[in-house]
Amino acid sequence: MTEHVDGVSATRGPYRAGRARRQEIIRAATEVFAREGYRGGSLRDVARSLEVTPGAILHHFGSKEQLLVAVLADRDEHSRTAAARYFESHDTAGSLRAIVADNASRPGLMRLFTTLAAEAVSPDHPAHDFFTERYLRLTGFIAEGLDRENFHAPDGASNRDVAALVLATMDGLQLQWLMRPQFSMTGAFDVMLTAHGLLPCRMREPEQAPAMGEAR
């Protein structure tokens, strides 16, 4: 029989401890995979950083592949949380800007994504299907948002074309920012949105970092 203390099930203690340990492992794996890549980083490297055995990690995730999926899902959860209020108000440009700003505040996750996305081009990479599905899903999400907002792409382009351009810009800016952190990724993203009519100049927030080439 489960004991209760102050109306709270005692079984929650081990459950919470297990969740906390899983998050510790995900954070450690994020750092290892971001630094070494998925193929270069081993479970032993992750375990060593936590001062545990590889078996302790396998107890929570079962395999290195499952750990990778958990790391990628954690990265996407950060993005969803950052953009939640824009999703609710159907503000597509706002949600994308929030994601770019959140990425800039989490260089470890951004380095991980950039490293793994490049590796996952190979069809035999365990994250290949994840990234393939992710780009299809995000392209559809952005295009549907633009359709809902009655955005009309110029020169006969479709909103899916615009969505692909937006994702390519986001990925390219991440790479540039990792190479040169003083570069304003959020400012440059605003320039792209404004140039393509996705973000009227009047909507730019005053606290937004200045765009490339703007005077401070």
Side-chain angles (χ1 to χ4, degrees):
M1 180 175 178
T2 301
E3 296 182 0
H4 288 74
V5 180
D6 295 331
V8 178
S9 170
T11 59
R12 291 188 183 179
Y15 174 73
R16 288 177 179 172
R19 286 191 63 184
R21 171 55 76 178
R22 284 175 61 89
Q23 284 303 120
E24 287 179 359
I25 294 171
I26 287 172
R27 284 195 294 270
T30 296
E31 294 178 3
V32 169
F33 293 157
R35 185 177 63 249
E36 307 291 343
Y38 174 76
R39 299 194 191 282
S42 67
L43 287 181
R44 189 175 300 279
D45 293 328
V46 178
R48 186 181 301 114
S49 70
L50 293 170
E51 299 183 345
V52 299
T53 66
I57 295 176
L58 291 174
H59 170 74
H60 289 278
F61 292 97
S63 69
K64 185 181 177 184
E65 289 79 7
Q66 289 180 31
L67 176 57
L68 174 63
V69 170
V71 166
L72 292 171
D74 184 67
R75 195 265 187 185
D76 277 356
E77 182 59 32
H78 280 300
S79 295
R80 280 191 291 271
T81 300
R85 68 187 178 97
Y86 297 99
F87 290 150
E88 294 168 1
S89 61
H90 303 297
D91 180 356
T92 303
S95 66
L96 295 170
R97 297 170 77 220
I99 290 170
V100 171
D102 183 64
N103 287 344
S105 72
R106 303 177 188 276
L109 284 176
M110 188 160 40
R111 188 174 296 107
L112 168 75
F113 175 86
T114 303
T115 300
L116 291 180
E119 288 186 343
V121 170
S122 174
D124 65 348
H125 191 281
H128 179 81
D129 290 343
F130 174 90
F131 278 98
T132 299
E133 186 279 331
R134 184 178 185 276
Y135 278 115
L136 288 172
R137 173 169 46 83
L138 289 179
T139 298
F141 165 77
I142 296 170
E144 288 169 11
L146 296 177
D147 289 342
R148 186 171 52 245
E149 295 162 21
N150 294 316
F151 177 82
H152 298 288
D155 302 323
S158 71
N159 282 343
R160 289 190 71 88
D161 293 332
V162 174
L165 171 65
V166 168
L167 289 174
T169 301
M170 292 173 75
D171 287 357
L173 290 177
Q174 287 183 165
L175 180 59
Q176 291 186 62
W177 189 86
L178 288 169
M179 297 289 189
R180 188 163 56 95
Q182 66 272 24
F183 155 72
S184 175
M185 181 168 63
T186 51
F189 190 63
D190 267 3
V191 170
M192 187 279 295
L193 291 176
T194 302
H196 291 279
L198 292 162
L199 182 69
C201 293
R202 68 178 182 277
M203 292 177 60
R204 294 182 65 181
E205 299 171 5
E207 69 270 19
Q208 185 70 34
M212 277 192 306
E214 283 189 358
R216 292 182 177 273

